[in-house]
Amino acid sequence: MQASPHCHANVSQPSSEESTSGGEWEADIISTVEFNHTGELLATGDKGGRVVIFQREPESKNDPYSQGEYNVYSTFQSHEPEFDYLKSLEIEEKINKIKWLPQQNAAHALLSTNDKTIKLWKITERDKKPEGYNLKDEEGKLKDLSTVTSLQVPVLKPTDLMVEVTPRKVFANGHTYHVNSISVNSDCETYMSADDLRINLWHLTITDRSFNIVDIKPANMEDLTEVITASEFHPHHCNLFVYSSSKGSLRLCDMRASALCDKHFKLFEEPEDPSSRSFFSEIISSVSDVKFSHSGRYMLARDYLTVKVWDLNMETRPVEIYQVHDYLRSKLCSLYENDCIFDKFECAWNGSDSVIMTGAYNNFFRMFDRNTKRDVTLEASRESSKPRAVLKPRRVCVGGKRRKDDISVDSLDFTKKILHTAWHPTENIIAIAATNNLYIFQDKMNSEMH
């Protein structure tokens, strides 16, 4: 998607839009969004522990706009609230992350995690059912064996399409602290999960043990200076992974070097400018998300005010820095008081690694074209989600002259924030989670990837 406003919306809402109670509405808040490897399926997780899967509709010759529409395919409860009696702690059911596994057969599989437990789910379709059992009646109850006088061959009869979601594996007891990220390895056999202080490597078939590959917990917790904020495997090299920290650094690790990857292979860290140091410097430099480019050459890191592109071959400084909402620098004090300064924004690459996207406040999201250096601010709202509605670029002004449609920095709504975004792996389709609504925008004008 070029950094242009020609986006069209075609779906909104996986969950109830007008909820009766605050608790119900809270449970509907989307906490993660993830396309599968083909982009045909899109999964969202929410604070209530539910996973909603959307499937893309095939193209209709009569209505070219119907292509790209995503409709609900399956909904299931992934996690339930739990209580840790040893620590007297409630464990939220909120889904922190969803990751799809590469498809091996007709079934789909995904991993979902809350703060403590990772689950592997299998999604299958069934449009036939067997009939004519010898030992069971049509309701599935066992027959009285004395009434069975002849044997028959069961047959498969067509039935309405059913989507079945079954739990295949539960990976529990691997984390003392809250799980913030999971990443499936390119070997399709292993995955890693990261919490504040440790990263574990799991085999997809083994649930009762994991291998600890990073441990930054100090002997004395008073010596703790940083925590792990996100981690991801390299898309092509199964031995490489990156993890980010609350101090703004990225560490690239090589699992071939040693079993415990506490000693990074490369450290990507920008030296701080002492003249711009303030009370908030460390908080706003914390990296909330890190993503490898599809090519594997670059890494995208989001901190509170910027997105940075790092080249794996250059550790000293990022090759590109984009200001997401620089106008908030003067508001850091009030953002600290209302806790917004701790919001964790995600970022995403388009399929050709030429455009990057990340969220902001007031239901705004930002796009940066790496080739033209153009950027645009767009808004996910009810008005823009009508079919075939064209998104208009938005501008935030800081004092001085205002244009007609400009919005003042003082009137931004900080309760409306776009933390979770995802980009279709090959096409110009983006998914934006705005509190309890899901927006899907498609660029009809530039359907070719730029």
Side-chain angles (χ1 to χ4, degrees):
M1 192 171 290
Q2 277 187 313
S4 73
H6 300 293
C7 299
H8 290 260
N10 42 34
V11 82
S12 120
Q13 103 298 321
S15 50
S16 58
E17 291 171 12
E18 309 299 333
S19 291
T20 49
S21 70
E24 239 181 278
W25 183 87
E26 186 86 10
D28 286 343
I29 292 173
I30 300 170
S31 50
T32 186
V33 189
E34 191 80 14
F35 280 102
N36 75 339
H37 292 73
T38 62
E40 292 305 298
L41 297 176
L42 171 68
T44 65
D46 67 22
K47 279 199 165 184
R50 290 182 300 270
V51 173
V52 181
I53 301 173
F54 297 87
Q55 184 181 45
R56 191 179 185 188
E57 292 300 308
E59 187 169 5
S60 156
K61 284 178 183 162
N62 305 334
D63 184 5
Y65 281 101
S66 70
Q67 193 214 0
E69 277 197 16
Y70 285 78
N71 292 321
V72 174
Y73 179 63
S74 179
T75 305
F76 62 96
Q77 189 72 31
S78 174
H79 287 71
E80 301 281 356
E82 295 172 54
F83 191 79
D84 184 334
Y85 289 96
L86 289 173
K87 294 180 181 166
S88 294
L89 277 177
E90 280 185 47
I91 301 167
E92 278 190 331
E93 65 273 39
K94 174 191 162 200
I95 308 294
N96 291 346
K97 283 286 183 284
I98 290 171
K99 286 288 179 240
W100 291 90
L101 272 59
Q103 196 175 355
Q104 311 278 8
N105 48 39
H108 296 276
L110 61 78
L111 290 166
S112 63
T113 185
N114 67 350
D115 284 341
K116 298 286 181 192
T117 306
I118 304 148
K119 295 184 180 182
L120 173 63
W121 297 91
K122 185 180 178 185
I123 301 111
T124 49
E125 286 185 359
R126 204 173 71 184
D127 59 0
K128 293 182 177 66
K129 71 172 185 182
E131 282 185 9
Y133 285 110
N134 289 291
L135 302 178
K136 291 179 184 170
D137 62 20
E138 287 183 11
E139 276 142 29
K141 291 180 187 155
L142 280 172
K143 292 180 183 174
D144 178 358
L145 294 183
S146 61
T147 64
V148 180
T149 54
S150 62
L151 293 177
Q152 57 185 335
V153 178
V155 290
L156 288 171
K157 292 273 180 74
T159 180
D160 291 340
L161 179 69
M162 286 174 60
V163 179
E164 292 183 337
V165 181
T166 48
R168 298 309 298 265
K169 297 269 188 290
V170 177
F171 304 87
N173 308 319
H175 289 276
T176 309
Y177 306 98
H178 291 178
V179 178
N180 56 45
S181 49
I182 47 177
S183 178
V184 180
N185 200 345
S186 58
D187 64 10
C188 300
E189 290 184 2
T190 56
Y191 76 92
M192 68 177 173
S193 55
D195 65 28
D196 291 345
L197 299 179
R198 296 189 179 104
I199 301 176
N200 291 338
L201 182 69
W202 302 80
H203 196 281
L204 282 160
T205 58
I206 302 168
T207 59
D208 59 351
R209 64 186 180 275
S210 60
F211 192 78
N212 180 228
I213 51 175
V214 172
D215 186 349
I216 64 164
K217 185 182 178 184
N220 182 353
M221 283 295 269
E222 286 178 10
D223 299 333
L224 185 68
T225 57
E226 63 182 334
V227 294
I228 297 165
T229 54
S231 68
E232 188 177 66
F233 268 120
H234 190 280
H236 313 305
H237 302 301
C238 60
N239 54 294
L240 295 180
F241 68 93
V242 66
Y243 70 90
S244 58
S245 88
S246 56
K247 274 196 163 174
S249 59
L250 306 177
R251 290 176 173 87
L252 187 68
C253 300
D254 188 342
M255 291 194 292
R256 295 174 304 185
S258 67
L260 194 62
C261 300
D262 286 356
K263 292 186 170 61
H264 50 267
F265 153 57
K266 285 187 177 182
L267 174 67
F268 300 84
E269 198 169 43
E270 201 177 12
E272 192 185 28
D273 177 4
S275 64
S276 62
R277 177 148 185 85
S278 75
F279 170 75
F280 305 110
S281 294
E282 198 162 304
I283 302 171
I284 63 172
S285 66
S286 175
V287 175
S288 55
D289 193 21
V290 61
K291 295 267 169 65
F292 278 106
S293 62
H294 295 82
S295 67
R297 168 77 186 267
Y298 301 99
M299 294 181 298
L300 185 59
R302 171 74 207 258
D303 58 36
Y304 191 65
L305 294 177
T306 68
V307 271
K308 294 173 180 158
V309 177
W310 293 85
D311 188 320
L312 260 64
N313 301 320
M314 189 168 85
E315 297 169 68
T316 49
R317 59 189 169 82
V319 286
E320 296 155 37
I321 299 177
Y322 300 97
Q323 300 295 335
V324 179
H325 35 209
D326 204 41
Y327 46 77
L328 294 183
R329 271 187 204 278
S330 60
K331 302 263 174 219
L332 293 177
C333 199
S334 56
L335 289 162
Y336 178 76
E337 284 168 7
N338 65 15
D339 277 353
C340 284
I341 202 166
F342 302 108
D343 285 336
K344 292 175 170 55
F345 292 95
E346 292 171 11
C347 51
W349 298 89
N350 73 339
S352 62
D353 299 333
S354 60
V355 184
I356 54 184
M357 168 176 66
T358 192
Y361 292 106
N362 212 66
N363 276 4
F364 289 168
F365 58 98
R366 304 269 284 136
M367 286 187 175
F368 303 93
D369 190 313
R370 298 179 60 211
N371 299 326
T372 63
K373 302 301 177 198
R374 283 168 56 212
D375 65 272
V376 69
T377 302
L378 301 169
E379 182 181 7
S381 66
R382 288 296 171 78
E383 291 68 44
S384 64
S385 68
K386 295 182 176 78
R388 298 193 269 287
V390 177
L391 290 185
K392 293 192 184 81
R394 303 300 308 263
R395 252 175 49 99
V396 178
C397 72
V398 189
K401 282 188 179 175
R402 272 180 70 178
R403 291 190 211 157
K404 185 170 131 265
D405 291 331
D406 284 2
I407 182 163
S408 160
V409 69
D410 296 317
S411 56
L412 291 173
D413 187 342
F414 293 109
T415 62
K416 291 180 175 175
K417 51 191 94 170
I418 290 176
L419 303 176
H420 313 289
T421 58
W423 205 310
H424 188 289
T426 55
E427 292 181 46
N428 282 337
I429 298 173
I430 56 173
I432 306 283
T435 323
N436 64 332
N437 288 314
L438 174 71
Y439 295 91
I440 294 181
F441 298 110
Q442 180 168 17
D443 189 346
K444 287 289 186 185
M445 305 287 285
N446 302 302
S447 55
E448 296 302 311
M449 195 57 79
H450 293 274

